[in-house]
Amino acid sequence: ILRTRHHTLLYDAGPAMGEVDLGERIVLPTLLKLGVSTLDLMLLSHADADHAGGALAVKRGLPVARVLAGEVQRLPQALQAQPCVAGEHWEWDGVRFSVWQWHDAADSNQGSCVLWVEASGERLLLTGDIDADGERAWLQAATAHRVDWLQAPHHGSRSASSLAFLEALAPKGVFISRGRYNAFGHPHPEVMARFAMLGITPYDSAVEGALSLRLGRFAEPEGIRSQRRFWR
């Protein structure tokens, strides 16, 4: 969830598999608890169930002005999603946004729509599930590489977070979005070793819970489990 003074963007919508829809159970209630009454944009990096599965539940529960997606053709028509177009950019309340997608992508993960955000000189990159080849393509296309914060591509998978990518971006922290004891073994020990070697601090949602960051203040993110009585 990315919020400026007058706008709200949701990047991916949580997983839905079988009867378990975390878009309905977690994402939508979280938005409502935060006082979000409408979404200006829901951006779905790609159509895999763990990224876009909860999108319909979110759209049923809140007005959504626009849906952008990395894989429009694989999403339900009810979402009325528009394709991610590399180079599209905009500004909300002094915060700059731009999107990128590798049009030579060979699979769904590589075709993730990547979101770059800058507020008062502090930068965040949300990468979906791009792999090392997608990272290389982004580096070739991007005009500015260095970021302060990085969402670990593909949840910390061994196929991503390449050394060249991390060295070029030089983030001070990386956000790892994953479930504890997930069947894929994310994040991979080799990836964690690269973070450590480069002095990149990992922030793991499975350990620290939901993470909050005020971009533009150059302050450390805060995990919800560091708060007293966070379960309330």
Side-chain angles (χ1 to χ4, degrees):
I1 304 169
L2 295 95
R3 304 178 75 182
T4 69
R5 184 176 298 274
H6 299 293
H7 298 276
T8 304
L9 183 155
L10 180 67
Y11 185 85
D12 286 340
M17 298 179 185
E19 297 182 357
V20 180
D21 187 336
L22 296 190
E24 180 179 22
R25 293 189 182 185
I26 295 178
V27 179
L28 180 59
T30 298
L31 287 164
L32 295 174
K33 185 176 181 180
L34 291 171
V36 175
S37 59
T38 185
L39 286 175
D40 297 277
L41 176 62
M42 178 161 57
L43 198 167
L44 305 174
S45 60
H46 60 307
D48 284 2
D50 59 329
H51 292 256
L56 277 175
V58 172
K59 192 170 185 183
R60 285 194 296 263
L62 277 177
V64 180
R66 187 185 184 202
V67 180
L68 280 182
E71 289 184 292
V72 171
Q73 70 280 7
R74 288 182 57 209
L75 293 171
Q77 289 187 353
L79 286 173
Q80 298 180 305
Q82 301 170 355
C84 173
V85 177
E88 181 176 354
H89 58 90
W90 65 95
E91 185 173 314
W92 287 340
D93 307 314
V95 181
R96 298 164 57 201
F97 300 81
S98 66
V99 296
W100 174 84
Q101 183 184 35
W102 187 22
H103 290 297
D104 292 329
D107 59 32
S108 174
N109 288 344
Q110 288 184 351
S112 292
C113 188
V114 174
L115 177 66
W116 179 90
V117 187
E118 181 178 17
S120 299
E122 190 171 16
R123 296 171 177 175
L124 164 72
L125 188 68
L126 302 177
T127 59
D129 276 354
I130 61 172
D131 61 8
D133 290 335
E135 293 169 356
R136 189 178 305 112
W138 186 86
L139 289 174
Q140 291 172 352
T143 56
H145 292 163
R146 290 187 177 274
V147 301
D148 299 279
W149 306 99
L150 171 69
Q151 172 238 324
H154 201 182
H155 317 281
S157 166
R158 187 181 186 180
S159 65
S161 298
S162 62
L163 182 60
F165 188 65
L166 296 176
E167 286 181 331
L169 267 63
K172 58 186 176 184
V174 60
F175 301 122
I176 302 169
S177 174
R178 58 128 183 173
R180 189 186 291 268
Y181 310 123
N182 66 88
F184 303 99
H186 301 327
H188 196 277
E190 290 183 10
V191 171
M192 295 300 289
R194 282 200 285 274
F195 295 154
M197 180 182 68
L198 296 173
I200 301 170
T201 303
Y203 296 86
D204 188 341
S205 66
V207 176
E208 303 183 54
L211 293 156
S212 177
L213 174 70
R214 184 65 67 91
L215 201 65
R217 290 190 176 179
F218 295 89
E220 295 298 310
E222 181 178 296
I224 194 171
R225 289 182 182 145
S226 68
Q227 303 173 11
R228 293 185 62 199
R229 300 176 181 177
F230 68 86
W231 55 88
R232 292 187 176 182

